[in-house]
Amino acid sequence: MENETVGLVVHSVGRTGVLHQLTGVIARHEGDITTVEILDNWPAEARTYFEVVLSAPVQLVIDDLKKLEIVRRVDVVKTFQRIYGKRIIIMGGGAQVGQVAIGAISESDRHNIRGERISVDTIPLVGERELAAAVRATARLPRVKLLVLAGSLMGGDISQAVEEVRKTGLYVISLNMAGSVPDAADLVVSDPIQAGVMAVMAIADTAKFDLVRQQKRRY
Amino acid sequence: MENETVGLVVHSVGRTGVLHQLTGVIARHEGDITTVEILDNWPAEARTYFEVVLSAPVQLVIDDLKKLEIVRRVDVVKTFQRIYGKRIIIMGGGAQVGQVAIGAISESDRHNIRGERISVDTIPLVGERELAAAVRATARLPRVKLLVLAGSLMGGDISQAVEEVRKTGLYVISLNMAGSVPDAADLVVSDPIQAGVMAVMAIADTAKFDLVRQQKRRY
């Protein structure tokens, strides 16, 4: 049971302060919380999902959680990392986002069949301000490894946001397009389907594509 | 400032117990935490993202967070709901997931341009056990409104999982396919592109499509 990541769904009552009480029990067992989702927070029913790295046996933590007056039930479930795995985010114009998604979904299908877990998430968006905010927000989303910018014209604050998220360790692929975003990206690809395929290859452990060796290339 | 949802990124040090201390401050201000993301949890740098519904002025909460010895900095940011909005999840075989995604991305583009925020998230997966686990896990993911099952044969425990997540309020659209999943879904659609378009119409406030009125229909 050493250093195992476990998924726990805690059913409780109350609203304000629930998380504070639950995390107190986990902290006492020196559990390292890596993920939290607030599933419901109604006074009559609060459900909270935790992924916790534990060195203690999980049953001890569950027993202590159940001792809290607010806790009704605790379920052990599979973790998101095991189910949805790494994430690629594709954003930009609908026409191009759809084509990049086709490439990325087909390619991740091939890797997931061999035991990988890669999800392909998308949002069609328009506008410099909206896209820059969405790029910056990817650094706050869990399990995101790579971002594809798919459009015909992107620059200004979007390029600035690309530079910022690259510093946090995220890879960025850009379609070949007008504006300064291609210059800010790790890699530029003209064909949207190939951009999607390369995005998956770059983060799959089952592929041999090294984005670091491809830095600033254009295809 | 009443009952405003604010996004806060808290930069701190330490690992175990960080969340317990931060949520203690928020609970004292009767803040209702709706989202938490653990961005980093290294001893030298922990970054935690909260979305909190506050009746108190946000600056008071920030000031009190900063009084904690472990806190280095607090930034106010835009919330995920404002940036990524509602989510549709498409899962199943790569060929069909890609086509449903094309329909959903094109349609959400049209709604997002009019002020909606709809994201289209996908994972190509194979196997009854894997798909059933992924269906069940959607009920633990934030902002998910609708699930599309895209494949050629799905049944058994996947159908059971579909019944379970529908009880939590999630809508499920199924492609017309072999197996019992179409019988378990809210709506069955033969054309994958139309399935994607209808999925977006069903959750868009800017559309007039009512899935409740479409219950158990087949197209």
Side-chain angles (χ1 to χ4, degrees):
Chain A
M1 299 286 279
E2 278 224 351
N3 293 328
E4 190 195 9
T5 302
V6 292
L8 295 175
V9 176
V10 184
H11 300 250
S12 58
V13 290
R15 194 164 181 173
T16 310
V18 167
L19 197 55
H20 182 57
Q21 291 191 55
L22 303 180
T23 55
V25 171
I26 296 169
R28 274 209 307 281
H29 287 277
E30 303 203 343
D32 186 13
I33 300 171
T34 56
T35 301
V36 183
E37 297 292 349
I38 317 284
L39 304 172
D40 293 304
N41 64 340
W42 308 108
E45 197 196 355
R47 282 187 310 139
T48 315
Y49 171 66
F50 292 101
E51 295 186 3
V52 191
V53 183
L54 286 174
S55 47
V58 61
Q59 195 55 50
L60 291 184
V61 180
I62 292 174
D63 290 345
D64 277 1
L65 284 168
K66 282 183 180 163
K67 282 178 196 157
L68 291 176
E69 216 170 277
I70 57 166
V71 172
R72 293 285 169 269
R73 204 174 92 205
V74 181
D75 298 328
V76 178
V77 294
K78 280 194 189 173
T79 64
F80 286 149
Q81 183 64 42
R82 283 181 56 197
I83 290 177
Y84 294 110
K86 303 166 192 165
R87 298 167 72 186
I88 287 169
I89 311 256
I90 308 165
M91 59 178 70
Q96 286 113 323
V97 169
Q99 294 306 307
V100 176
I102 284 281
I105 292 165
S106 289
E107 183 66 11
S108 57
D109 199 25
R110 301 173 71 221
H111 292 280
N112 290 356
I113 282 170
R114 286 179 283 174
E116 271 274 4
R117 283 296 168 97
I118 296 171
S119 303
V120 178
D121 298 348
T122 73
I123 181 165
L125 267 184
V126 69
E128 180 180 345
R129 208 174 45 132
E130 289 74 8
L131 273 161
V135 169
R136 289 194 173 97
T138 54
R140 303 201 304 273
L141 286 171
R143 296 173 288 107
V144 175
K145 303 294 174 202
L146 191 146
L147 175 64
V148 183
L149 288 167
S152 299
L153 167 63
M154 293 187 194
D157 195 34
I158 308 171
S159 303
Q160 180 59 40
V162 166
E163 302 279 11
E164 287 171 30
V165 296
R166 284 183 61 217
K167 281 185 196 140
T168 71
L170 219 75
Y171 288 123
V172 180
I173 293 179
S174 170
L175 292 190
N176 199 0
M177 66 170 100
S180 55
V181 157
D183 293 330
D186 291 282
L187 180 70
V188 179
V189 184
S190 300
D191 172 42
I193 292 185
Q194 188 172 68
V197 172
M198 283 186 171
V200 172
M201 289 167 65
I203 66 160
D205 294 329
T206 39
K208 290 191 186 359
F209 187 77
D210 187 352
L211 206 53
V212 176
R213 290 180 56 185
Q214 298 289 332
Q215 274 298 314
K216 299 295 178 189
R217 291 216 185 161
R218 290 180 178 237
Y219 291 93
Chain B
M1 299 286 281
E2 276 224 352
N3 295 327
E4 190 194 8
T5 302
V6 291
L8 295 175
V9 175
V10 184
H11 298 250
S12 58
V13 291
R15 194 163 180 173
T16 311
V18 168
L19 198 55
H20 182 57
Q21 290 191 55
L22 303 181
T23 54
V25 171
I26 296 169
R28 275 209 307 281
H29 287 276
E30 303 203 343
D32 186 13
I33 299 171
T34 55
T35 301
V36 184
E37 297 292 348
I38 317 283
L39 304 172
D40 293 303
N41 64 339
W42 308 108
E45 198 197 354
R47 282 187 310 141
T48 315
Y49 171 66
F50 293 102
E51 295 185 4
V52 191
V53 183
L54 285 175
S55 46
V58 61
Q59 196 54 51
L60 291 183
V61 180
I62 293 174
D63 290 346
D64 276 1
L65 283 169
K66 283 184 180 164
K67 282 178 195 156
L68 291 176
E69 216 171 276
I70 57 166
V71 172
R72 293 284 169 270
R73 205 174 92 206
V74 182
D75 298 328
V76 179
V77 294
K78 279 194 190 174
T79 64
F80 286 149
Q81 183 65 42
R82 284 182 57 197
I83 290 176
Y84 294 110
K86 304 166 192 165
R87 297 167 73 186
I88 287 169
I89 311 257
I90 308 165
M91 59 178 72
Q96 286 113 322
V97 169
Q99 294 306 307
V100 177
I102 283 281
I105 291 165
S106 289
E107 183 67 10
S108 57
D109 199 25
R110 300 172 71 221
H111 292 280
N112 290 355
I113 282 170
R114 286 179 283 173
E116 271 274 3
R117 282 295 169 101
I118 296 172
S119 302
V120 178
D121 298 347
T122 73
I123 182 164
L125 266 185
V126 68
E128 180 180 345
R129 209 174 44 131
E130 288 74 8
L131 273 161
V135 169
R136 289 194 172 96
T138 53
R140 303 201 306 272
L141 286 172
R143 296 173 287 109
V144 175
K145 303 295 173 201
L146 191 146
L147 176 63
V148 183
L149 288 167
S152 300
L153 167 64
M154 292 188 196
D157 194 34
I158 307 171
S159 304
Q160 180 59 38
V162 166
E163 302 280 10
E164 288 169 32
V165 296
R166 284 183 60 218
K167 281 184 194 141
T168 71
L170 218 75
Y171 289 122
V172 180
I173 293 180
S174 170
L175 292 190
N176 199 0
M177 66 170 101
S180 56
V181 157
D183 294 330
D186 291 282
L187 179 71
V188 179
V189 184
S190 300
D191 171 41
I193 291 184
Q194 189 172 66
V197 172
M198 283 187 171
V200 173
M201 287 166 65
I203 66 161
D205 294 330
T206 37
K208 290 192 183 359
F209 188 77
D210 187 351
L211 206 54
V212 176
R213 289 178 58 183
Q214 298 288 332
Q215 273 297 313
K216 299 296 179 189
R217 292 216 185 162
R218 290 180 178 237
Y219 291 94

